[in-house]
Amino acid sequence: MSEFISHIGGLAEAGERMIERLRKKAFLPESRKGLSVRIGIAEVASLLGCSTNRIRMAEEDGRLPSPTPTTNGRRPGYSIEQILHMRKVLGASPARSPMDEPAIIAVQNFKGGVGKSTVTTHLAHYLAVQGYRVLVVDCDSQASTTTLFGFNPHFNITRDETLYPYLSIDPTQEDLRYAVKRTPWPNVDLIPSNLELFDVEYELAAAGADGQSVLTARFRKLKQGLNELARDYDVVLLDPPPALGTISLAVMQAANALLVPLAATTPDFCSTVQFLSMMDQVLQQLLAAGIAIDYSFVRLICSKFDSNDPSHALVRAFMEQTFGPALLPVPILESAEISHAAIRMMSVYELAKPIGTSKTHKRCRANLDEALGQVEQLIRQSWGRVAPASEAEAIYAV
């Protein structure tokens, strides 16, 4: 038996070494991802809801720095940091007001392989492009989201940099600020995870055997810690484990909105139905224990949808009939561009240029913008707002 255990350990170590090789090959020499994406003036104007002429005028009168032309004399694209500055100067920030409650969204499903971490990462980067301040909290010890953000959970992240020191039975941290890490995105921060975060599950399960008071205290503690951190952000995205455990329960209670990704296959559909049934029972028990649960929205989003697969279309029809308006109308399409970006431990929004064909990249990006834009609108609705009007709509409105 020990020989088999040793063999499994060897496989794990070989896998970790390969991940580190891929990471070093994909990232900059300092082993951190850089954000080299640039956005053209036409797309920036669309993001800001103004005309390109308004941007040029602001550059001419000195309110915005004039861009340095490229070597061939062409106008360069703008970095995310430059666009955030432009939003401030031109009054085009979508940030919530101090009276608006930050959106704390759990991206949850107990079925693995539905693209939970991919959805979380792409949603974070989509919201960043739109100008929101985002915090991503990786609550899953498998740490897929941490990896997509450019950290190797095995080599770069210690247990003391995860949620563990805050949630453990013998906590060493009083708030969560110790765990917040900067990312290459100027308006996206991350609380990472690694395998050792699973120790919290063992500790809390053992404590729960002697009574529920410790569990209840940890549920409330995570919510309190996230609420304190959320004051500095517009949106907090939680990526919990794909299983019903103490951390998943704590995340459910800490969130004020729920997004459920599911793939268009019969097993995923059936599993999600079971997840919703189990979640209903758990929430009822939490409410009975005096733990408040209040979601501004609960939505399902179909991920990894292949529009050319008749079986996917059939299962999606089942979803529409079953879930009605709770299912977001635009699915996230299966795309080689998402897969290619994932190999590089990136999201599509981080690609400086297409990996596949330009047509494939544009189609993928347009779909992601539309699908994830649905979530943005739910967030804005929870703040009592609708989509901001463009400059043209404001001028020519009747």
Side-chain angles (χ1 to χ4, degrees), residues 284-356:
Q284 294 294 339
Q285 293 173 0
L286 291 175
L287 289 171
I291 300 176
I293 305 290
D294 186 19
Y295 295 150
S296 60
F297 65 82
V298 176
R299 293 293 188 278
L300 298 93
I301 185 166
C302 181
S303 60
K304 305 170 71 171
F305 180 72
D306 185 350
S307 57
N308 296 316
D309 189 331
S311 68
H312 280 216
L314 180 61
V315 174
R316 178 160 171 78
F318 294 159
M319 294 179 189
E320 292 172 343
Q321 294 173 23
T322 305
F323 303 127
L327 177 71
L328 293 174
V330 179
I332 296 176
L333 300 178
E334 184 84 74
S335 174
E337 199 73 354
I338 294 177
S339 301
H340 290 155
I343 291 175
R344 291 161 174 79
M345 301 178 190
M346 304 171 76
S347 78
V348 171
Y349 290 100
E350 294 180 288
L351 299 177
K353 59 182 180 179
I355 297 177

Side-chain angles (χ1 to χ4, degrees), residues 122-123 126-127 130 132 301 328 330 332 349 365-381 387:
H122 279 85
L123 180 56
Y126 166 82
L127 292 170
Q130 304 306 313
Y132 298 91
I301 185 166
L328 293 174
V330 179
I332 296 176
Y349 290 100
R365 174 66 186 272
N367 167 250
L368 286 170
D369 286 348
E370 187 178 10
L372 300 175
Q374 300 171 121
V375 182
E376 180 193 7
Q377 290 309 306
L378 290 170
I379 294 168
R380 295 186 65 82
Q381 288 170 16

Side-chain angles (χ1 to χ4, degrees), residues 185-198:
W185 293 78
N187 53 339
V188 181
D189 291 336
L190 171 74
I191 293 182
S193 177
N194 71 2
L195 188 60
E196 291 179 285
L197 179 61
F198 196 75

Side-chain angles (χ1 to χ4, degrees), residues 18-182:
M18 178 55 70
I19 290 174
E20 184 65 5
R21 285 177 58 190
L22 292 172
R23 191 178 68 87
K24 288 182 176 178
K25 185 175 181 180
F27 303 161
L28 295 175
E30 62 269 24
S31 298
R32 290 292 303 276
K33 285 168 53 171
L35 192 61
S36 58
V37 65
R38 294 292 184 271
I39 300 177
I41 190 170
E43 186 178 347
V44 171
S46 177
L47 287 170
L48 272 57
C50 69
S51 64
T52 56
N53 189 49
R54 186 182 178 195
I55 295 174
R56 290 191 174 95
M57 288 175 61
E59 292 172 347
E60 290 173 2
D61 64 26
R63 286 179 294 153
L64 291 174
S66 298
T68 303
T70 58
T71 53
N72 58 10
R74 297 182 62 184
R75 189 182 186 89
Y78 298 90
S79 68
I80 297 298
E81 195 164 19
Q82 289 173 322
I83 296 172
L84 291 174
H85 178 64
M86 293 166 73
R87 287 185 181 278
K88 290 181 180 178
V89 172
L90 300 178
S93 173
R96 64 182 179 84
S97 74
M99 300 299 293
D100 294 325
E101 184 180 12
I104 303 178
I105 306 172
V107 183
Q108 176 67 295
N109 196 324
F110 292 162
K111 171 71 166 64
V114 297
K116 183 170 58 68
S117 297
T118 301
V119 170
T120 301
T121 305
H122 279 85
L123 180 56
H125 292 168
Y126 166 82
L127 292 170
V129 172
Q130 304 306 313
Y132 298 91
R133 299 165 300 168
V134 183
L135 172 66
V136 179
V137 185
D138 194 349
C139 311
D140 185 358
S141 58
Q142 294 182 62
S144 298
T145 295
T146 297
T147 301
L148 285 173
F149 268 91
F151 298 94
N152 185 320
H154 185 74
F155 289 98
N156 305 136
I157 305 299
T158 67
R159 185 170 71 172
D160 289 342
E161 296 174 285
T162 71
L163 291 173
Y164 179 84
Y166 183 75
L167 291 180
S168 68
I169 293 299
D170 297 311
T172 57
Q173 296 288 347
E174 296 182 356
D175 61 51
L176 287 170
R177 295 192 182 279
Y178 73 93
V180 176
K181 289 188 177 296
R182 299 293 302 274

